[in-house]
Amino acid sequence: MKKILPLVWMLFILVELVINFLQYYFTPIDGDLVAIVLPADWYSQVLGDPTGLKTIQNGDLIGGAGRSMAHWTMYLYYHHVPQLLQYVVNPIESVYLASALFKMIAMVAFVTAFTLYNRVHTKTFGRVFLFTPILILPLIQYRGFYDVMRTVDQATTYVFFYLWPVALFMLFYYPIYRWVQAPKSERVSPTSCILLGLFAIYIALDGPLMPPLFILFGGAVILITWLRNPGLNGFFLLFKTRETILIAFTMIFSLYVYYLGTFNVESAPNADAPDLLARYKLLFQGIYILLTYMPGLSLLLIYTIILSFILNRHYKSMYAPFQKEHLILLAIVIVYIALLPLGGYRPYRPYIIRSDTSLPALAVLFFIFTQVNLLSMRFFNHDHKKYLTPILSIFLLVFFVRDLAIKKENQCEMKSMEMISNARHVDTVRLDNTCNFMSWEVQSNPYFTHFGSKMLQEWNITDHYQPYVQKKKE
């Protein structure tokens, strides 16, 4: 049985990955992708000023300020990967395949980060390597509990701006985490510190959540380091330790990126936006919605709390160091959520917090969930363990079954692409309005469809510039 079990685990992981890939492939193109990738007029400036120095110097408000690496990553990816894939698939399929592949890459990076963190506390790498993905993959909801547990966003653009930088942030902090756990034996080499510093520059400019995450986690690590040797000597020692110097650099650079983000056109003052107190009220409503709209997040939270309580009650001495770590992470999450209203108000995010901005909190919950389960399997006696295995299996099965749906939502959009591709001697192709076409809504304005026409030509879906519009809805 012990020899067969790893094969069963690997089969489960393979099935999950295949289902995920199909779900990603059959997803339509979101309404922000073309404007960023082409780019449209309002996003071209950020590509020409990745550091933001010109933007600050001129005092201009531009689209994407403070997120230049996300824009550059999307630009480079969609200007090269679909064309490479066209050696094996047709141009239309290449675009959806490219999107699916990036979502898979981001998701695998995210899961790999959890596996590496859990590896720090165990010598049995094989078990952690297989079991961590088994715990995490069912929780990555693309259909079922998606609205309250959004990790891989259905909009590929949001994967570039949220999941991808969060996954990279977790991978960045892995050597730091090892050093915090064993400050003498797990030092980060000088060369690694330099490379990590360069990596941090990319990550900090790769999404709106990164500056506060670098500042909060960096501040926590520096505080923990100082508390191990408090006093004036310990304070000066921080300036002599290369790991803390690296962290301080990421925090200072993140403050710069945060300031640069104030030049984003979306950050412009809006007289109709709710005031700060009203935004905090909306935040509490948003938290309530996340916990009650669908049961997924609440179930995960309740399960994790109960298992943590059992570990603390019956295995207190063994769980104590992990509990301290979990409490620090929860404190960071609380501060992070409390800061969200200070980031302003977006009409498309009416309750301040949404399952994209809550992704760091969800990642922390995932981390604690995986860790308490691995600790339970390690510490529980036979009587406790005989209940844990079936309960955990049923729990994961609920999430797995809930997220099985594979909806071919891009078929209408693909047919529209074929129609435009096959058009000859037609001034403007008129598409029906049964589905959105590379947009958030039915688009009948030639100014906006102009960008889509240019993108289709770039992707070799059309061999000439072919205008199109959609019929207006009655």
Side-chain angles (χ1 to χ4, degrees):
M1 184 66 183
K2 287 185 177 181
K3 292 181 179 179
I4 297 174
L5 195 58
L7 295 175
V8 175
W9 289 354
M10 285 189 282
L11 180 62
F12 177 79
I13 292 170
L14 181 62
V15 170
E16 269 279 10
L17 292 177
V18 170
I19 292 170
N20 289 337
F21 177 79
L22 292 174
Q23 289 174 328
Y24 303 160
Y25 177 78
F26 290 117
T27 304
I29 297 170
D30 65 82
D32 287 330
L33 191 144
V34 168
I36 292 172
V37 171
L38 191 60
D41 306 339
W42 56 90
Y43 284 133
S44 58
Q45 286 176 280
V46 72
L47 295 180
D49 183 26
T51 61
L53 293 174
K54 290 180 183 177
T55 301
I56 293 174
Q57 185 179 1
N58 297 333
D60 298 328
L61 292 179
I62 68 169
R67 306 171 190 180
S68 58
M69 291 300 104
H71 284 261
W72 263 111
T73 304
M74 285 189 71
Y75 176 85
L76 292 172
Y77 187 84
Y78 278 102
H79 277 273
H80 293 89
V81 175
Q83 287 84 341
L84 290 172
L85 293 173
Q86 286 167 25
Y87 285 104
V88 291
V89 296
N90 68 54
I92 293 175
E93 291 173 343
S94 72
V95 178
Y96 296 98
L97 184 57
S99 295
L101 285 174
F102 187 81
K103 286 179 179 179
M104 289 294 291
I105 291 167
M107 185 264 286
V108 169
F110 186 64
V111 175
T112 299
F114 289 106
T115 305
L116 290 172
Y117 279 92
N118 287 326
R119 172 70 181 88
V120 172
H121 299 289
T122 181
K123 296 177 182 179
T124 55
F125 178 71
R127 185 175 182 178
V128 172
F129 181 76
L130 286 174
F131 202 69
T132 301
I134 287 171
L135 291 170
I136 294 289
L137 285 172
L139 304 181
I140 297 176
Q141 299 280 295
Y142 197 73
R143 293 296 177 192
F145 299 123
Y146 171 81
D147 288 334
V148 297
M149 297 180 65
R150 187 186 311 183
T151 44
V152 181
D153 205 290
Q154 291 174 6
T156 312
T157 298
Y158 278 67
V159 177
F160 278 90
F161 280 75
Y162 290 90
L163 178 61
W164 177 241
V166 166
L168 295 184
F169 176 84
M170 292 172 67
L171 292 171
F172 167 87
Y173 253 93
Y174 172 63
I176 305 294
Y177 180 75
R178 291 183 56 165
W179 170 71
V180 170
Q181 297 294 325
K184 293 182 179 180
S185 61
E186 295 291 348
R187 297 296 306 274
V188 183
S189 71
T191 304
S192 295
C193 282
I194 294 170
L195 293 174
L196 285 170
L198 295 172
F199 190 32
I201 292 172
Y202 171 84
I203 299 170
L205 289 164
D206 202 29
L209 306 184
M210 293 304 103
L213 290 183
F214 270 117
I215 293 167
L216 290 174
F217 277 87
V221 170
I222 288 176
L223 180 61
I224 290 167
T225 305
W226 179 73
L227 288 174
R228 287 173 174 169
N229 188 17
L232 200 58
N233 289 336
F235 177 76
F236 286 116
L237 187 62
L238 294 175
F239 296 95
K240 299 178 182 179
T241 308
R242 57 179 174 265
E243 290 86 357
T244 51
I245 293 171
L246 169 64
I247 293 166
F249 166 76
T250 66
M251 294 174 68
I252 293 167
F253 186 75
S254 292
L255 285 170
Y256 165 75
V257 176
Y258 178 79
Y259 174 66
L260 176 60
T262 62
F263 292 86
N264 192 319
V265 69
E266 289 188 357
S267 302
N270 184 354
D272 297 326
D275 60 27
L276 186 60
L277 180 60
R279 293 202 296 272
Y280 272 102
K281 290 179 180 178
L282 290 170
L283 173 65
F284 284 109
Q285 291 181 50
I287 294 170
Y288 178 78
I289 290 169
L290 284 176
L291 292 173
T292 60
Y293 179 65
M294 287 180 171
L297 185 59
S298 297
L299 283 173
L300 178 61
L301 191 60
I302 291 167
Y303 177 96
T304 305
I305 291 171
I306 291 173
L307 203 54
S308 301
F309 176 79
I310 294 171
L311 282 166
N312 186 56
R313 177 82 178 267
H314 298 282
Y315 308 91
K316 192 176 183 67
S317 61
M318 293 179 282
Y319 178 56
F322 299 96
Q323 185 185 43
K324 187 183 295 184
E325 186 176 294
H326 297 167
L327 291 174
I328 291 170
L329 288 172
L330 289 173
I332 292 172
V333 165
I334 290 169
V335 175
Y336 167 79
I337 293 174
L339 290 174
L340 286 176
L342 301 179
Y345 180 80
R346 305 287 188 274
Y348 55 82
R349 197 181 289 127
Y351 296 104
I352 311 300
I353 192 169
R354 199 172 62 173
S355 49
D356 49 6
T357 50
S358 66
L359 181 56
L362 189 61
V364 166
L365 182 55
F366 281 7
F367 174 77
I368 297 174
F369 169 79
T370 57
Q371 202 164 71
V372 294
N373 275 288
L374 288 167
L375 292 173
S376 299
M377 291 174 184
R378 186 168 146 196
F379 298 150
F380 273 16
N381 58 37
H382 176 72
D383 289 338
H384 285 151
K385 199 172 289 185
K386 71 181 181 182
Y387 293 111
L388 174 67
T389 303
I391 291 172
L392 177 59
S393 300
I394 293 169
F395 180 83
L396 293 176
L397 188 63
V398 168
F399 283 83
F400 174 73
V401 172
R402 178 78 179 193
D403 198 46
L404 281 176
I406 299 172
K407 300 178 181 179
K408 297 184 178 181
E409 294 182 334
N410 64 354
Q411 299 302 289
C412 174
E413 189 175 65
M414 292 178 84
K415 288 177 181 177
S416 296
M417 285 186 184
E418 288 176 9
M419 184 176 174
I420 297 171
S421 177
N422 295 330
R424 294 291 183 274
H425 312 296
V426 179
D427 289 337
T428 302
V429 176
R430 300 192 178 278
L431 305 174
D432 62 33
N433 54 23
T434 54
C435 65
N436 298 336
F437 185 73
M438 301 194 299
S439 59
W440 295 121
E441 57 189 3
V442 170
Q443 193 54 263
S444 58
N445 187 334
Y447 172 75
F448 292 109
T449 60
H450 156 74
F451 300 113
S453 295
K454 292 183 72 174
M455 200 73 249
L456 293 177
Q457 189 177 5
E458 172 69 26
W459 285 331
N460 300 319
I461 292 171
T462 58
D463 57 9
H464 62 286
Y465 176 80
Q466 179 59 65
Y468 70 88
V469 292
Q470 289 183 278
K471 297 174 185 176
K472 290 183 180 180
K473 286 193 172 182
E474 298 296 331

